[in-house]
Amino acid sequence: MKSIDVIKKHYLESESIITIGTFDGVHKGHELVFKQIKNYTNLLPVVITFKKSPKDVINNNNVKTIYDIKTKEKLINDFDINKIISIDFDNTIKILTAENFIKLLKRHLKLKLLVIGEDSTIGKDKIGKKNGLGNILKKYDCDLKTVNIKRDDNEKISSSELKKLIEMGKITTVNKNLSRDYFIQGKIIEGKKLGRELGYPTANLDYSKEIVIPKDGIYETISILNNKKFLSITSIGNNPTFNEKIKTIETYIIDFNKNIYGENLKIIFKDYIRGQIKFENKEDLITQMDKDLKKVSEEN
């Protein structure tokens, strides 16, 4: 369905407060925006989110996201926002000027107040706070509210920067900037059972190929299985000791021994422990895994 038709399909009867953006990762800057639109109890909060960044679509960049669209919608919904409209930045949206986009939101979503980041712009003519968006909104009996999306140190929080940090394995820094600790989730699938041979049976995660993945290495993690939390250690990489070629995400859940194939697993990343190492033999690998387990157990 064309994105303009998706918006029309969500026709509203009551006046709304709307924010628009990609909101990849749902970081603390986005959190400020969502909390802002919840402050207006007389208006229905609406989030219009692009499935991929308009900038990446325009530049034809096949860029991966921090979270897939369903996960992002769930994270936004956790702010008690129930009206989430996910759209593609397709030609029906690309061609709209800022004024035509405002007219669309006014007519079909009863826009009363638009909330965007301080430096954000809308429309193919890139209109924002500094070049007349407020005046356009007034023509349609609407108002503009901008939010300063910055950290305590006054640095802007950026989804693209957070993706770089994830790929560098800088998990503690990432977690300081997200609204909740970074995680990956998916179904547990059958692997080659290499961990079981070593005395460390692992859950092999079937993860989305659309998302960024932390750099290869060993991580301290928390695993959520059937709403229960377990301390765990997660390995990302291609098992160089066994000369494997395929990158996997495998989690050893501490003090846990059940068959959980087909179950949904959420892995919350807490810290980077070490990089991947190609060991000379299985015994050396087991010795290192014992050290990793001791380190994580002692810290918790």
Side-chain angles (χ1 to χ4, degrees), residues 288-299:
Q288 181 60 57
M289 292 170 75
D290 290 343
K291 290 178 182 178
D292 297 338
L293 177 60
K294 183 178 180 183
K295 177 181 171 63
V296 170
S297 299
E298 287 177 349
E299 291 178 353

Side-chain angles (χ1 to χ4, degrees), residues 160-174 182 212-217 219 271-275:
S160 57
E161 286 300 316
L162 289 176
K163 283 191 278 190
K164 290 176 186 176
L165 289 169
I166 290 169
E167 290 173 332
M168 293 166 66
K170 296 186 179 294
I171 299 301
T172 53
T173 304
V174 170
Y182 169 75
V212 296
I213 299 297
K215 76 172 183 177
D216 291 358
Y219 294 82
D271 204 358
Y272 176 78
I273 299 175
R274 63 171 175 84

Side-chain angles (χ1 to χ4, degrees), residues 58-294:
I58 290 169
N59 294 328
N60 202 27
N61 293 331
N62 187 21
V63 177
K64 295 188 176 184
T65 56
I66 296 175
Y67 294 124
D68 61 44
I69 188 64
K70 287 187 177 179
T71 300
K72 180 172 69 172
E73 288 177 351
K74 174 64 171 62
L75 289 170
I76 297 171
N77 185 248
D78 286 345
F79 288 97
D80 200 24
I81 296 170
N82 298 316
K83 194 64 170 177
I84 304 166
I85 304 173
S86 296
I87 60 173
D88 294 305
F89 188 65
D90 64 14
N91 288 330
T92 65
I93 299 298
K94 286 180 191 176
I95 64 170
L96 295 178
T97 62
E99 182 162 356
N100 285 337
F101 192 54
I102 296 302
K103 285 168 67 176
L104 176 72
L105 300 185
K106 181 69 177 181
R107 180 176 180 182
H108 297 282
L109 300 179
K110 300 293 189 294
L111 172 67
K112 185 64 178 176
L113 180 60
L114 181 67
V115 179
I116 57 174
E118 189 80 19
D119 301 320
S120 298
T121 61
I122 64 172
K124 70 175 184 180
D125 42 354
K126 297 183 179 178
I127 305 297
K129 176 185 177 181
K130 297 173 183 175
N131 60 343
L133 183 57
N135 292 331
I136 294 173
L137 285 159
K138 282 179 182 176
K139 283 176 61 177
Y140 298 93
D141 191 30
C142 300
D143 292 309
L144 175 66
K145 172 76 176 176
T146 56
V147 179
N148 201 1
I149 304 176
K150 293 186 178 180
R151 295 193 299 253
D152 294 337
D153 58 6
N154 216 31
E155 284 289 319
K156 186 176 180 181
I157 304 174
S158 158
S159 295
S160 57
E161 286 300 316
L162 289 176
K163 283 191 278 190
K164 290 176 186 176
L165 289 169
I166 290 169
E167 290 173 332
M168 293 166 66
K170 296 186 179 294
I171 299 301
T172 53
T173 304
V174 170
N175 287 344
K176 287 176 184 176
N177 288 283
L178 292 178
S179 63
R180 59 177 60 196
D181 286 351
Y182 169 75
F183 64 89
I184 300 176
Q185 58 189 0
K187 280 193 181 299
I188 301 166
I189 57 174
E190 201 161 342
K192 293 193 173 182
K193 299 183 175 64
L194 298 175
R196 190 173 297 279
E197 290 179 22
L198 304 172
Y200 284 92
T202 57
N204 191 4
L205 195 73
D206 183 18
Y207 59 94
S208 169
K209 303 307 183 284
E210 297 297 313
I211 61 172
V212 296
I213 299 297
K215 76 172 183 177
D216 291 358
I218 310 300
Y219 294 82
E220 176 188 337
T221 55
I222 299 290
S223 290
I224 308 291
L225 186 69
N226 296 322
N227 295 317
K228 292 182 180 178
K229 290 185 178 181
F230 302 91
L231 187 61
S232 56
I233 299 174
T234 297
S235 169
I236 297 179
N238 59 353
N239 294 305
T241 302
F242 295 94
N243 296 313
E244 295 293 317
K245 303 299 181 186
I246 299 174
K247 185 190 292 286
T248 59
I249 299 178
E250 298 179 69
T251 296
Y252 172 67
I253 304 174
I254 298 171
D255 296 327
F256 184 89
N257 187 22
K258 290 182 180 177
N259 186 337
I260 50 176
Y261 291 131
E263 299 277 359
N264 290 311
L265 182 68
K266 180 177 182 178
I267 304 170
I268 301 172
F269 286 73
K270 304 302 288 186
D271 204 358
Y272 176 78
I273 299 175
R274 63 171 175 84
Q276 271 208 331
I277 303 170
K278 180 176 174 63
F279 293 93
E280 292 297 321
N281 51 62
K282 289 196 296 185
E283 289 70 28
D284 289 347
L285 174 55
I286 292 169
T287 299
Q288 181 60 57
M289 292 170 75
D290 290 343
K291 290 178 182 178
D292 297 338
L293 177 60
K294 183 178 180 183

